[in-house]
Amino acid sequence: MSDLSAARARYAALIARRGRIASPRLLAALATVPREDFLAKGPWRTKSEAAHSYRLTPDADPIHLYHNVLVAIDARRKLDTGLPSLWAHFIDLLGVNERDRVVQIGCGLGYFSAILSEIVGPKGKVHAIECDERLASRATSCLRAYHNVEVVHGDGCRDIGDAADIIIVHAGFSHPHPRWLDALRPRGRLLVPLTQRDREGAALKITRKGKGFEAEAVQQIRIFPGHGRGVTALDDRVADWWQRAASLTPLRFRSIAQGLPSDG
């Protein structure tokens, strides 16, 4: 086994432990998808989960990427790749399966699109929406070999396309958009970070159940704000909801998500 292959295997094992991953297909994808293919050439600016500042890798050897670290896409905007353990945990929690149609809202440079591509397989589909034209163009290039992935430069609240088994939102919003909820198939799942203006909030898993939905707050999160996120009265309601939810026990924190704010 080469040094890089060994590093990827250790990385997958680390993420499995941190995220308590159960899906064999997800673990296999983490061990095989080349993270360096979805970044600019190194050296790279990285930071750990707890760090407040970047560290430059010693050189451009991709072995430095196979740790549970954020990697800067645009350091000036504080725009980073997703933390591997966090998003692997979310993907596992959503129960992504073979043949699923997955919609990603905010795909960045496409690393997690590639991970999802491997999980859903050739009969599945990943519809990756990116509002930043430059990032969408780069993601299209990075994902050229993944034939079940379609990258769309567009609006994640509008360009969803067909019904979805899974919708994953990779940015913070004040509420779940009605089109996301409408697009879910029966038993479909949505993962959306509900955040305040300071990027802090909670990730919610929302499941279509019959004629309604079940919501569960699953993880505190700090994340880049979604495109078009404004300062509205609804943001104040979310701030109030998050303050109440964060002060409760985990059990009550999950149940209060049933009363999450809406735009109605």
Side-chain angles (χ1 to χ4, degrees):
M1 182 181 292
S2 70
D3 288 347
L4 192 53
S5 295
R8 287 180 185 143
R10 289 193 298 269
Y11 165 78
L14 169 65
I15 302 307
R17 291 194 300 272
R18 289 291 306 275
R20 301 178 185 176
I21 306 302
S23 166
R25 294 182 69 85
L26 171 55
L27 292 175
L30 289 167
T32 55
V33 172
R35 199 178 184 194
E36 63 274 16
D37 287 359
F38 300 90
L39 292 163
K41 292 183 179 180
W44 301 275
R45 297 183 183 277
T46 69
K47 60 182 174 182
S48 68
E49 186 175 3
H52 297 289
S53 59
Y54 297 107
R55 296 182 63 181
L56 191 66
T57 59
D59 51 45
D61 187 338
I63 202 167
H64 302 303
L65 299 174
Y66 292 98
H67 301 280
N68 189 38
V69 293
L70 298 159
V71 184
I73 294 174
D74 186 340
R76 291 177 303 167
R77 288 195 288 165
K78 298 181 180 179
L79 176 62
D80 303 324
T81 62
L83 188 72
S85 63
L86 180 67
W87 290 99
H89 170 65
F90 288 155
I91 291 169
D92 193 51
L93 186 69
L94 289 167
V96 182
N97 296 310
E98 285 188 82
R99 304 188 182 206
D100 277 351
R101 182 176 187 269
V102 179
V103 174
Q104 270 188 300
I105 306 213
C107 70
L109 297 180
Y111 173 65
F112 290 104
S113 308
I115 295 289
L116 290 163
S117 166
E118 296 288 340
I119 297 171
V120 302
K123 294 185 178 180
K125 183 75 174 178
V126 178
H127 185 74
I129 307 169
E130 177 52 58
C131 67
D132 185 303
E133 185 175 7
R134 185 172 63 89
L135 292 182
S137 176
R138 291 173 64 190
T140 299
S141 178
C142 292
L143 288 160
R144 191 166 289 124
Y146 296 83
H147 301 298
N148 60 349
V149 179
E150 178 187 22
V151 179
V152 175
H153 170 229
D155 184 340
C157 297
R158 185 185 64 216
D159 301 316
I160 295 173
D162 299 332
D165 300 288
I166 304 287
I167 300 176
I168 306 177
V169 183
H170 291 262
F173 286 86
S174 59
H175 63 286
H177 196 281
R179 289 193 182 180
W180 302 338
L181 300 173
D182 290 343
L184 288 177
R185 289 173 173 159
R187 297 180 297 281
R189 284 87 68 200
L190 163 69
L191 189 287
V192 54
L194 293 194
T195 57
Q196 306 176 61
R197 300 184 191 111
D198 61 359
R199 304 189 181 195
E200 299 283 349
L204 263 66
K205 176 187 175 184
I206 300 175
T207 305
R208 181 182 281 278
K209 294 276 184 85
K211 296 181 179 179
F213 299 89
E214 179 180 278
E216 178 185 3
V218 296
Q219 177 83 39
Q220 295 183 19
I221 195 169
R222 188 173 193 276
I223 193 167
F224 197 80
H227 178 67
R229 171 69 185 268
V231 179
T232 67
L234 187 55
D235 287 283
D236 291 330
R237 292 175 62 193
V238 171
D240 177 65
W241 172 85
W242 170 241
Q243 185 175 17
R244 289 185 293 116
S247 66
L248 299 172
T249 64
L251 180 61
R252 280 286 295 145
F253 184 39
R254 288 194 295 271
S255 65
I256 199 173
Q258 304 282 351
L260 60 91
S262 72
D263 65 347

